[in-house]
Amino acid sequence: MAETTNAPAASRSCATTGCGKPASMQCPNCIKLGVTEGSFFCSQDCFKSSWEQHKAVHKKAKEEAALNSGPMNCWPGFEFTGLMRPYPKTGRRTLPAKIVRPDYAETGIPKSEIKNRQSTIARCLDDEEQETMRVVCKLGREVLDEGARAIAVGVTTDELDRIIHEACIERECYPSPLNYHNFPKSCCTSVNEVICHGIPDMYKLQNKDIVNLDVSVFKHGHHADLNETYFVGDVDEESRKLVKTTYECLEQAIAACKPGFRYRDIGDIISKHAHANGFQVVRTYCGHGVNDLFHTVPSIPHYAKNKAVGFMKVGHTFTIEPMINAGNWKDVTWPDEWTSTTIDGRRSAQFEHTLLIVEGGCEVLTRRLPTSPAGSIWFQTAS
């Protein structure tokens, strides 16, 4: 039953559709929930007649309250290695029907990748496919840049996911992470000790955080994959050095890429520079082939003395994406089966590009654009 109210209702109209009379009472549940919009009515009769419709207001308010309730105790007994915790998450975002989906969009199962797992030979893309990859990777860069521009103290990682999702829709791209092996969001946001695969949620970025934004898009039957690590506010010197060193690891690895170069030697280059600066290289995750498949051969470990097979050939497209830790190289995965963190709670950084091997070298397909936001990452070049 609605409660009779005085001044607040006097200037409001009845929320019942088609009524419009001056309100004289307010829903008691709305008062408890702190809701004002759509909570006033002119009479008990109007209130009762609108009840079924009005209950949606309560549901929305409760959902919003839950999203803003702070970190969740999802997994009693699980020992977190650092300060990051899971926060409430919004639902899976939708896309217009006109956007072409990869084969896993509905089921979560990448059937084409599974079918191709037995192959150990990287595919050389023809000229038409190479041009398609150029187009898609440029779109991927634009999408990442849209997300990067929004990074600031107080912005939730869920908001970054929304921006990325909408940027994909504007370009008629499918956000490749969405429902890939049932991943629930359109990008990955990995903060501080999270190495990779962080799930966007209601965590608000804080001053001194570092955050990796990992974006992948699918269009014209092909995927682009890239990521960067950004500073939030005034970041400490060790974190600045970690991020800068990680970027340099990627740059040095890219400089070596050319036809005939062994994939296994990428790890030697990255490890040498990381270790020289006092950091460690994550071994669990690696770079990968990317084309019409999101993840495929070759596998490209970032650590030294690995056993990767194969040589680079003209037409190969793949990622290099070193994950560098301030402390121990080992990782721990949260019970959500996605979020990977450092074993000691210290910070991790990552950068990623999609590359194309061409005569005499390689082309950075996801290179930075003249319009790409530089922010506080003073060391970044055109790539």
Side-chain angles (χ1 to χ4, degrees):
M1 181 177 291
E3 292 185 6
T4 302
T5 186
N6 297 316
S11 60
R12 297 180 181 272
S13 299
C14 181
T16 300
T17 303
C19 179
K21 294 179 180 179
S24 61
M25 57 187 63
Q26 186 178 12
C27 169
N29 286 336
C30 288
I31 294 174
K32 293 176 182 176
L33 293 168
V35 175
T36 55
E37 190 67 28
S39 68
F40 293 91
F41 297 87
C42 68
S43 66
Q44 289 292 345
D45 288 340
C46 262
F47 178 58
K48 291 177 182 178
S49 67
S50 299
W51 179 245
E52 289 302 318
Q53 180 181 357
H54 181 66
K55 285 192 295 186
V57 175
H58 302 159
K59 181 180 179 182
K60 181 180 178 181
K62 290 176 181 177
E63 289 175 347
E64 291 177 351
L67 287 174
N68 294 305
S69 61
M72 302 185 299
N73 183 21
C74 303
W75 314 298
F78 177 75
E79 295 185 8
F80 292 93
T81 62
L83 298 178
M84 294 303 299
R85 297 291 186 273
Y87 277 66
K89 297 173 179 60
T90 56
R92 177 178 167 182
R93 304 187 195 280
T94 60
L95 296 106
K98 66 179 180 180
I99 293 180
V100 178
R101 275 84 161 151
D103 64 0
Y104 54 81
E106 299 302 325
T107 65
I109 302 171
K111 297 178 182 177
S112 298
E113 285 188 16
I114 293 171
K115 183 178 180 180
N116 191 64
R117 278 180 181 170
Q118 300 304 316
S119 175
T120 58
I121 301 174
R123 192 164 67 82
C124 296
L125 275 59
D126 60 29
D127 290 346
E128 183 177 353
E129 289 177 301
Q130 291 178 31
E131 187 58 32
T132 296
M133 285 294 290
R134 290 187 179 95
V135 170
V136 177
C137 285
K138 182 175 182 293
L139 292 172
R141 164 53 64 179
E142 291 175 1
V143 171
L144 176 64
D145 289 350
E146 289 290 336
R149 291 186 184 98
I151 292 173
V153 174
V155 175
T156 66
T157 54
D158 181 80
E159 175 66 4
L160 297 179
D161 182 75
R162 182 193 64 79
I163 291 168
I164 293 298
H165 187 85
E166 293 181 0
C168 286
I169 291 175
E170 289 173 2
R171 294 161 178 79
E172 297 188 359
C173 296
Y174 182 91
S176 302
L178 187 62
N179 210 35
Y180 179 75
H181 291 291
N182 303 123
F183 188 80
K185 291 295 182 177
S186 297
C187 67
C188 298
T189 51
S190 302
V191 181
N192 297 339
E193 75 267 18
V194 180
I195 297 170
C196 62
H197 302 158
I199 302 174
D201 57 23
M202 298 307 291
Y203 174 78
K204 293 181 180 180
L205 294 174
Q206 300 178 24
N207 185 42
K208 301 184 180 181
D209 282 348
I210 61 173
V211 56
N212 179 272
L213 190 54
D214 194 339
V215 165
S216 309
V217 304
F218 176 79
K219 188 171 184 177
H220 303 313
H222 290 69
H223 298 268
D225 198 2
L226 70 160
N227 74 57
E228 292 186 352
T229 300
Y230 302 93
F231 301 146
V232 183
D234 184 19
V235 176
D236 65 89
E237 284 302 318
E238 182 183 61
S239 294
R240 292 165 71 89
K241 181 181 178 182
L242 172 66
V243 174
K244 182 174 185 289
T245 298
T246 305
Y247 180 78
E248 291 168 347
C249 285
L250 176 59
E251 290 285 281
Q252 291 184 20
I254 290 172
C257 293
K258 61 183 179 180
F261 192 78
R262 295 194 305 180
Y263 282 109
R264 69 175 60 177
D265 293 337
I266 290 296
D268 293 338
I269 295 170
I270 291 170
S271 291
K272 181 179 179 180
H273 189 65
H275 294 166
N277 284 275
F279 302 127
Q280 297 292 312
V281 182
V282 174
R283 301 186 182 187
T284 304
Y285 307 98
C286 62
H288 55 88
V290 58
N291 38 59
D292 58 317
L293 301 177
F294 191 7
H295 297 86
T296 185
V297 291
S299 293
I300 308 168
H302 304 114
Y303 56 90
K305 298 180 181 179
N306 64 77
K307 304 298 181 182
V309 298
F311 296 81
M312 298 178 186
K313 295 182 180 180
V314 172
H316 282 184
T317 48
F318 55 89
T319 71
I320 300 177
E321 46 187 298
M323 287 145 272
I324 309 300
N325 292 352
N328 195 298
W329 61 266
K330 295 181 180 179
D331 58 277
V332 173
T333 301
W334 285 2
D336 62 17
E337 299 182 349
W338 281 108
T339 308
S340 177
T341 67
T342 58
I343 197 170
D344 53 13
R346 296 182 68 184
R347 292 187 168 188
S348 183
Q350 182 186 19
F351 285 88
E352 174 185 23
H353 274 309
T354 296
L355 311 174
L356 165 67
I357 297 299
V358 297
E359 293 291 350
C362 79
E363 183 177 340
V364 183
L365 299 180
T366 49
R367 61 187 175 276
R368 294 173 65 81
L369 304 172
T371 56
S372 294
S376 57
I377 305 179
W378 76 98
F379 50 81
Q380 287 188 319
T381 62
S383 63

